[in-house]
Amino acid sequence: MEPQRQSLKTTLPLCLGRYHISEEFGFLLPNPLKELPEYYQPWVEIANKLPYLIERHQLRARVNQMPLLSCSLLHGHHQLRLAHLVLSAVTMGYVWQEGERQPAEVLPRNLAVPMVGVSGSLGLPPILAHSGLVLANWTKKDPKGPLEISNLETIVSLPGGESLRGFVLVTVLVEKAAVPGIKALTQATNAILQPNEDTLLKALQRLRLSIQDITRTLGQMHDYVDPDIFYAVIRIFLSGWSGNPVMPGGLVYEGASTEPLKYAGGSAAQSTVFHAFDAFLGVRHSEESADFLYRMRDYMPPSHKAFIEEIHSGPSLRDHVRAPGHARCLQAYNLCLEALVELRSYHITMVTKYLITAAARARSRGPSHLPGGPRALENRGTGVRGSTCSLLETKSSGFPDPVCPWLTVLFSQEKAILGPQRLPLG
């Protein structure tokens, strides 16, 4: 369960660099590498052909022939992140090559040992998560060009073609849209600790604009991701082996574990952005969802997880703006909450299109070039959490209470409450 907010005084000044967060790219890995040392070409050659090998049911055979390589020639954070991306993408392909009917229950030693070794060096789990699929999986076609989808490409791909590319890169742009908000959050925290009402007001205004920009950026999914391909082709390769009815026992990492291990699949509930916004704005979750979200922090780079904990242990923005004499900041705070609700409300339309409606079409579809989609996961998101709850509720305190995490699960057929009520002025 997520710890209660502490009264600890945050070290001044709160700065992004201390947590390996880029002033330009936020939580995205700045300028990810595209090549590993020559020694690791057996990994890279397979990763570069993943869609081809998976679609022709050849990946498992190729991996089984792969040599067991040492991780000792990987140097520096960027090489480790690329190795983790490569190995975790190959892992997803290996496990799900035959779909949900025949998932691999044992990851062979020549893949499992380096996967676990690299993951341990980074403090990340040995599975493809948001930190790899999105944060470390982008590159500019023109290094001097803008960070726009037309100038971006993924480094490693999985089945899904242009829709997979769009899904990853739009999420990259969502992370980029959050950068002004993350910077504003740190400025606002420092403005509370060293009281400066004008600075706090401007920071809250920038935070609201950033949240609104995230909503607009998320809308690009409609332009670049086909919902039928996402549901029937892509989704299973983002699925994990924790709470997954297809793999109830988990996955054995041969040579690295004697017992099966269980890890959740990739999910934007693993994005530090929304955890940081929630912690700063005082968003409160149901106990079940708080537990789930807290577990998802283990899928983040450790320094990013520490940033959330620093925000959570810092001063309470809510208490500050409720104090007498802060009417302008209270109003700006309410507008931030409204923007966050609008963002999550907009996401409901995305969930409807890409999961609920797509699932209905898959069930009714006749003969088609598309698979029917993973039936066991029909009512679950890639983080493998049930769909019997609403995305957003409002507590009587007037705070939004996102009962289901961001971009992870379906919402129930019951109507979600889309508050929040504004905190009273004065």
Side-chain angles (χ1 to χ4, degrees):
M1 182 176 178
E2 184 173 357
Q4 297 297 310
R5 180 179 291 273
Q6 303 295 312
S7 59
L8 303 178
K9 186 172 182 177
T10 303
T11 304
L12 287 175
L14 178 61
C15 64
L16 298 179
R18 188 186 307 148
Y19 302 95
H20 305 289
I21 303 167
S22 167
E23 291 277 345
E24 182 178 0
F25 299 109
F27 298 110
L28 293 169
L29 181 67
N31 305 312
L33 295 180
K34 295 184 287 184
E35 299 290 341
L36 288 172
E38 183 68 23
Y39 174 76
Y40 298 104
Q41 279 306 297
W43 296 352
V44 174
E45 288 175 3
I46 291 176
N48 287 342
K49 298 178 181 178
L50 272 180
Y52 176 90
L53 293 172
I54 292 169
E55 289 162 5
R56 286 160 180 76
H57 304 274
Q58 298 173 3
L59 177 61
R60 289 180 183 172
R62 283 290 300 272
V63 169
N64 290 338
Q65 298 169 1
M66 190 174 71
L68 173 58
L69 302 179
S70 169
C71 299
S72 63
L73 298 182
L74 293 168
H75 301 295
H77 185 74
H78 276 64
Q79 282 193 8
L80 286 168
R81 290 289 291 272
L82 177 56
H84 188 273
L85 169 61
V86 165
L87 292 170
S88 59
V90 173
T91 294
M92 303 309 268
Y94 190 94
V95 170
W96 298 116
Q97 174 182 283
E98 304 301 325
E100 66 176 355
R101 296 186 305 278
Q102 298 177 22
E105 297 181 354
V106 178
L107 201 65
R109 180 185 304 267
N110 52 356
L111 177 56
V113 170
M115 177 79 260
V116 171
V118 169
S119 299
S121 296
L122 290 169
L124 293 171
I127 191 171
L128 185 64
H130 183 81
S131 62
L133 178 68
V134 175
L135 301 185
N137 193 22
W138 64 278
T139 185
K140 287 185 178 182
K141 298 176 183 177
D142 175 5
K144 297 182 179 179
L147 197 72
E148 298 174 354
I149 200 163
S150 60
N151 191 42
L152 291 174
E153 194 53 83
T154 58
I155 297 171
V156 174
S157 191
L158 286 163
E162 285 300 304
S163 286
L164 187 281
R165 173 184 177 273
F167 177 76
V168 172
L169 295 180
V170 170
T171 311
V172 167
L173 294 178
V174 166
E175 290 280 342
K176 182 64 168 65
V179 172
I182 295 300
K183 292 165 72 173
L185 185 157
T186 61
Q187 293 159 0
T189 298
N190 291 332
I192 296 171
L193 290 167
Q194 293 182 331
N196 188 318
E197 198 71 1
D198 289 338
T199 298
L200 177 57
L201 177 62
K202 291 175 182 177
L204 291 174
Q205 291 168 342
R206 286 192 291 269
L207 176 57
R208 173 179 58 83
L209 292 174
S210 179
I211 295 171
Q212 291 172 334
D213 193 32
I214 291 171
T215 304
R216 286 190 293 269
T217 303
L218 183 61
Q220 294 185 50
M221 284 287 181
H222 298 298
D223 300 324
Y224 294 101
V225 184
D226 183 301
D228 293 328
I229 293 176
F230 176 81
Y231 181 80
V233 178
I234 296 171
R235 195 165 63 106
I236 195 167
F237 293 102
L238 309 181
S239 301
W241 29 93
S242 173
N244 189 334
V246 174
M247 298 181 68
L251 178 68
V252 173
Y253 290 74
E254 188 179 54
S257 65
T258 56
E259 298 293 329
L261 303 177
K262 297 182 180 182
Y263 295 102
S267 160
Q270 298 159 0
S271 170
T272 311
V273 168
F274 304 104
H275 289 250
F277 286 175
D278 283 354
F280 181 62
L281 293 172
V283 175
R284 298 188 297 200
H285 300 266
S286 70
E287 183 175 353
E288 178 188 5
S289 289
D291 289 347
F292 175 82
L293 288 170
Y294 197 63
R295 291 195 303 273
M296 290 299 99
R297 295 183 186 181
D298 291 334
Y299 293 78
M300 301 173 187
S303 60
H304 296 177
K305 177 181 177 181
F307 177 72
I308 301 170
E309 293 169 350
E310 183 81 352
I311 295 297
H312 187 80
S313 66
S316 168
L317 172 64
R318 178 177 185 255
D319 290 346
H320 181 84
V321 299
R322 292 178 70 189
H326 300 297
R328 290 189 305 159
C329 288
L330 176 57
Q331 184 178 36
Y333 167 79
N334 277 330
L335 291 175
C336 287
L337 287 181
E338 289 181 6
L340 193 60
V341 169
E342 289 170 2
L343 172 57
R344 285 180 163 129
S345 177
Y346 182 71
H347 172 247
I348 292 177
T349 67
M350 304 290 289
V351 171
T352 301
K353 178 177 181 178
Y354 285 93
L355 292 181
I356 296 176
T357 304
R361 277 198 301 270
R363 287 193 298 269
S364 62
R365 187 184 298 131
S368 170
H369 67 286
L370 292 175
R375 290 296 182 90
L377 300 175
E378 190 168 70
N379 291 321
R380 295 168 183 261
T382 55
V384 190
R385 185 150 180 258
S387 63
T388 58
C389 57
S390 59
L391 278 170
L392 192 61
E393 290 181 347
T394 304
K395 283 186 178 289
S396 59
S397 64
F399 263 31
D401 178 20
V403 177
C404 293
W406 173 254
L407 279 175
T408 59
V409 292
L410 304 175
F411 67 103
S412 72
Q413 301 303 314
E414 298 177 1
K415 183 178 179 181
I417 303 173
L418 297 178
Q421 300 170 0
R422 299 165 68 90
L423 291 181
L425 299 178

